[in-house]
């Protein structure tokens, strides 16, 4: 280890900051290098470099995370996590009994956290530049030389620059209101805008957006701009998600051209066999595959051969918005697909080698339809062509103001389920999925930031 003593340090050997209880940062094999400085007043700051990001830890027990482009991503304590998205919007997650509570982070609070993160990184960089490194691992000059340019990149992202970056993001991307949970860290590319049917009574995600399929030229320009925007930050993103809503609704030839364009710019694994996550970990232009949303209405417009060609071009997982196994409820929700169409879609996808997760809405239809919804949804799961380990996302029904759903629910003589009724239905769907060796995963739609 490297030890230094100067007026800014506590006297004696430097004590390493802990990553986890009982394990210091320099004893974590996942870090490529660690540098620590001890400042006046007993404050300690350490930077820990990963293959895909850099963490900065400081007393009292705060961790800041930055991507390798230098953008601030997250501040964490033992009980709270504050997140910043590409659009410079924020959210906060708090540990509560039974799980995490996530809320929107007010803009002024987000700006305060961004400034605190920047000031911490700047203090560490200044100490490193002045040779006031108290501890390094590995304890060679190369460790400091490797970490210093990354810290310089972080410090170049001042709070004002982070706020201005939102305009650059908005020039490249249409809104990203939703992603499947397994794709939260995906590299999002938008082949389409809006939703191809946009009739669901409960959904307000694409109201006011006209559905449009981009040209191949537009898509390639969007892809190049997105690659430049994310830069080294892509090392944290190991899948690609094709949006905006159900991008698979694009005509087959156009869709194939989109996927081929992606293949021309990034590296995807061969379609045969299992690819370990480590193959893409920490690489800027390697991705484990391409995912997208799909609906049963447009899903059957493509043949098994169509899906086979998409699979060979990298499409390996889709998320199907089933919502309910009850055809009566789907009709009432103004979903354009039937349960039989969705079963057939799942079967076709499976034959093509494309994994498929599904979404079920907990509480859909309210009290009058609760029994039918739960029973029919479990029957759907039992009869669908799903493989062990496929995900069933359980998303609580939200009666968004301005959508037809709240008034339709009232007019039907029904009411929203109580918290206890929601819990019971959620547990019934979860337990039924698990009995089929499917993964039941909570899926909260808001607040979502990318």
């Amino acid at each position: 280890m490297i030890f230094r003593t100067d007026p800014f340090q506590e006297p004696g050997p430097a004590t390493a900051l802990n990553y986890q209880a009982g394990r210091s940062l320099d004893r974590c094999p996942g870090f490529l290098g660690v540098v620590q400085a001890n400042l006046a007043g007993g404050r300690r700051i350490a930077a820990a470099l990963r293959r895909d990001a850099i963490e900065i830890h400081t007393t009292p027990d705060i961790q800041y995370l930055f991507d390798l482009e230098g953008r601030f991503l997250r501040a964490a304590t033992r009980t709270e996590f504050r997140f910043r998205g590409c659009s410079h919007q924020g959210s906060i997650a708090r540990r509560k009994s039974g799980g995490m509570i996530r809320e929107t982070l007010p803009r002024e609070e987000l700006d305060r956290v961004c400034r605190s993160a920047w000031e911490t990184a700047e203090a560490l960089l200044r100490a490193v530049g002045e040779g006031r490194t108290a501890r390094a691992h590995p304890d060679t000059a190369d460790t400091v030389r490797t970490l210093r340019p990354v810290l310089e990149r972080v410090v170049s992202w001042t709070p004002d620059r982070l706020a201005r970056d939102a305009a650059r993001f908005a020039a490249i991307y249409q809104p990203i209101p939703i992603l499947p949970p397994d794709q939260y860290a995906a590299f999002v590319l938008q082949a389409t805008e809006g939703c191809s049917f946009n009739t669901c009574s409960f959904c307000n995600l694409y109201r006011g957006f006209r559905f449009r399929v981009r040209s191949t030229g537009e898509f390639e320009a969007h892809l190049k701009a997105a690659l430049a925007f994310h830069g080294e930050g892509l090392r944290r993103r190991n899948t690609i998600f094709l949006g905006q809503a159900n991008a698979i609704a694009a005509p087959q030839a156009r869709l194939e051209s989109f996927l081929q364009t992606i293949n021309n710019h990034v590296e995807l694994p061969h379609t045969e066999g299992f690819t370990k996550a480590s193959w893409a970990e920490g690489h800027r232009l390697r991705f484990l595959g391409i995912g997208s949303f799909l609906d049963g209405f447009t899903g059957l417009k493509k043949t098994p051969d169509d899906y086979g060609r998409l699979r060979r071009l990298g499409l390996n997982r889709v998320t199907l918005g089933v919502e309910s196994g009850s055809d009566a409820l789907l009709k009432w929700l103004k979903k354009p697909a039937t349960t039989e169409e969705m079963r057939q879609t799942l079967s076709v996808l499976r034959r093509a080698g494309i994994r498929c997760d599904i979404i079920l809405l907990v509480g859909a239809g309210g009290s009058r339809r609760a029994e039918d919804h739960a029973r029919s949804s479990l029957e759907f799961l039992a009869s669908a062509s799903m493989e062990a380990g496929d995900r069933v996302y359980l998303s609580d029904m939200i009666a968004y103001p301005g959508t037809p759903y709240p008034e339709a629910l009232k007019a039907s003589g029904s009411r929203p389920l109580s918290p206890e009724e929601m819990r019971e239905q959620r547990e019934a769907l979860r337990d039924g999925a698990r009995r089929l060796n499917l993964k039941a995963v909570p899926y909260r739609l808001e607040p979502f930031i990318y």
Side-chain angles (χ1 to χ4, degrees):
M1 297 298 176
I2 296 174
F3 298 99
R4 294 181 182 273
T5 302
D6 61 43
F8 294 91
Q9 293 181 266
E10 295 288 299
T15 302
L17 284 165
N18 279 350
Y19 179 67
Q20 296 168 328
R23 186 166 67 152
S24 64
L25 285 166
D26 49 24
R27 293 185 181 276
C28 295
F31 293 132
L32 304 179
V34 178
V35 170
Q36 179 174 315
N38 293 354
L39 308 184
R43 188 186 186 195
R44 292 172 289 157
I45 308 175
L49 182 64
R50 304 181 345 198
R51 294 182 68 188
D52 64 347
I54 183 169
E55 300 178 12
I56 295 182
H57 296 247
T58 185
T59 49
D61 198 24
I62 301 173
Q63 178 220 75
Y64 299 107
L65 180 69
F66 306 82
D67 68 20
L68 292 182
E69 187 69 11
R71 290 184 178 95
F72 167 65
L73 302 174
R74 184 187 71 212
T77 65
R78 292 184 185 275
T79 59
E80 294 183 343
F81 301 83
R82 289 170 169 82
F83 301 90
R84 176 193 175 271
C86 296
S87 59
H88 200 63
Q89 294 176 307
S91 67
I92 180 170
R94 296 184 174 92
R95 294 189 189 277
K96 299 288 185 181
S97 57
M100 300 290 290
I101 303 298
R102 188 183 288 262
E103 300 170 326
T104 299
L105 190 67
R107 173 61 185 269
E108 59 273 15
E109 174 67 7
L110 174 63
D111 289 341
R112 186 195 68 76
V113 174
C114 289
R115 180 160 295 279
S116 177
W118 179 83
E119 288 174 348
T120 302
E122 196 272 339
L124 178 58
L125 177 62
R126 189 168 60 251
V128 169
E130 294 171 357
R132 294 187 282 112
T133 302
R135 193 179 184 99
H137 181 78
D139 59 349
T140 68
D142 286 343
T143 301
V144 175
R145 280 197 295 267
T146 299
L147 274 158
R148 184 170 178 171
V150 183
L151 286 172
E152 289 173 345
R153 201 176 304 142
V154 167
V155 171
S156 75
W157 283 92
T158 64
D160 287 344
R161 184 185 176 193
L162 281 174
R164 292 194 307 270
D165 199 45
R168 184 181 172 203
F169 176 75
I172 298 169
Y173 285 96
Q174 294 291 321
I176 305 174
I178 184 175
L179 289 175
D182 69 299
Q183 299 288 340
Y184 283 169
F187 176 35
V188 173
L189 295 171
Q190 294 176 325
T192 59
E193 299 173 6
C195 177
S196 64
F197 53 91
N198 211 12
T199 61
C200 300
S201 65
F202 56 88
C203 180
N204 70 345
L205 298 175
Y206 304 102
R207 302 282 176 185
F209 286 90
R210 181 177 63 86
F211 180 71
R212 188 176 79 87
V213 180
R214 286 178 164 165
S215 69
T216 302
E218 281 182 294
F219 180 74
E220 184 165 28
H222 165 72
L223 168 58
K224 290 178 178 178
L227 287 170
F229 174 84
H230 290 286
E232 292 296 311
L234 287 172
R235 296 185 188 277
R236 274 184 55 77
R237 304 184 183 276
N238 61 11
T239 61
I240 292 173
F241 189 82
L242 199 63
Q244 199 177 37
N246 49 339
I248 307 300
Q252 179 70 15
R254 186 82 57 88
L255 192 53
E256 288 183 28
S257 75
F258 293 154
L259 299 191
Q260 184 59 60
T261 299
I262 292 172
N263 279 267
N264 292 344
H265 289 272
V266 306
E267 188 177 359
L268 295 167
H270 297 295
T271 58
E272 298 298 327
F274 173 75
T275 302
K276 293 183 178 180
S278 58
W279 178 81
E281 183 182 359
H283 289 270
R284 193 173 79 86
L285 296 177
R286 272 189 184 179
F287 300 92
L288 295 173
I290 301 170
S292 186
F293 282 121
L294 181 65
D295 66 273
F297 177 69
T298 57
L300 288 178
K301 293 184 178 180
K302 289 180 169 47
T303 67
D305 287 342
D306 290 337
Y307 283 118
R309 290 196 296 275
L310 298 178
R311 177 66 188 92
R312 288 188 289 275
L313 287 168
L315 182 70
N316 60 358
R317 185 176 289 274
V318 300
T319 302
L320 182 65
V322 172
E323 325 302 9
S324 176
S326 167
D327 280 309
L329 179 53
L330 290 175
K331 184 176 180 180
W332 184 79
L333 292 171
K334 301 192 184 314
K335 289 285 293 186
T338 66
T339 56
E340 180 54 32
E341 288 173 327
M342 289 188 281
R343 285 189 189 91
Q344 292 180 34
T345 297
L346 288 167
S347 178
V348 170
L349 289 166
R350 184 171 182 177
R351 292 202 302 272
I354 298 173
R355 301 295 294 265
C356 189
D357 304 320
I358 72 167
I359 303 170
L360 293 176
L361 291 176
V362 179
S367 56
R368 287 193 62 185
R369 297 174 173 84
E371 184 178 348
D372 175 48
H373 172 46
R375 183 188 66 254
S376 299
S377 296
L378 292 174
E379 291 172 353
F380 178 89
L381 293 179
S383 63
S385 298
M386 298 183 71
E387 299 181 21
D390 286 346
R391 304 179 186 95
V392 179
Y393 291 122
L394 301 179
S395 179
D396 287 359
M397 169 62 77
I398 300 174
Y400 289 106
T403 64
Y405 182 82
E407 287 301 318
L409 188 68
K410 183 178 179 181
S412 71
S414 190
R415 59 167 175 78
L417 298 188
S418 68
E420 178 64 19
E421 290 169 328
M422 290 287 287
R423 183 188 63 79
E424 290 176 355
Q425 187 174 104
R426 190 182 304 112
E427 290 179 353
L429 295 173
R430 180 200 65 193
D431 293 346
R434 289 176 177 174
R435 284 193 295 270
L436 297 167
N437 294 318
L438 304 173
K439 293 181 180 179
V441 181
Y443 186 6
R444 184 173 179 180
L445 298 187
E446 61 178 19
F448 170 77
I449 58 167
Y450 173 68

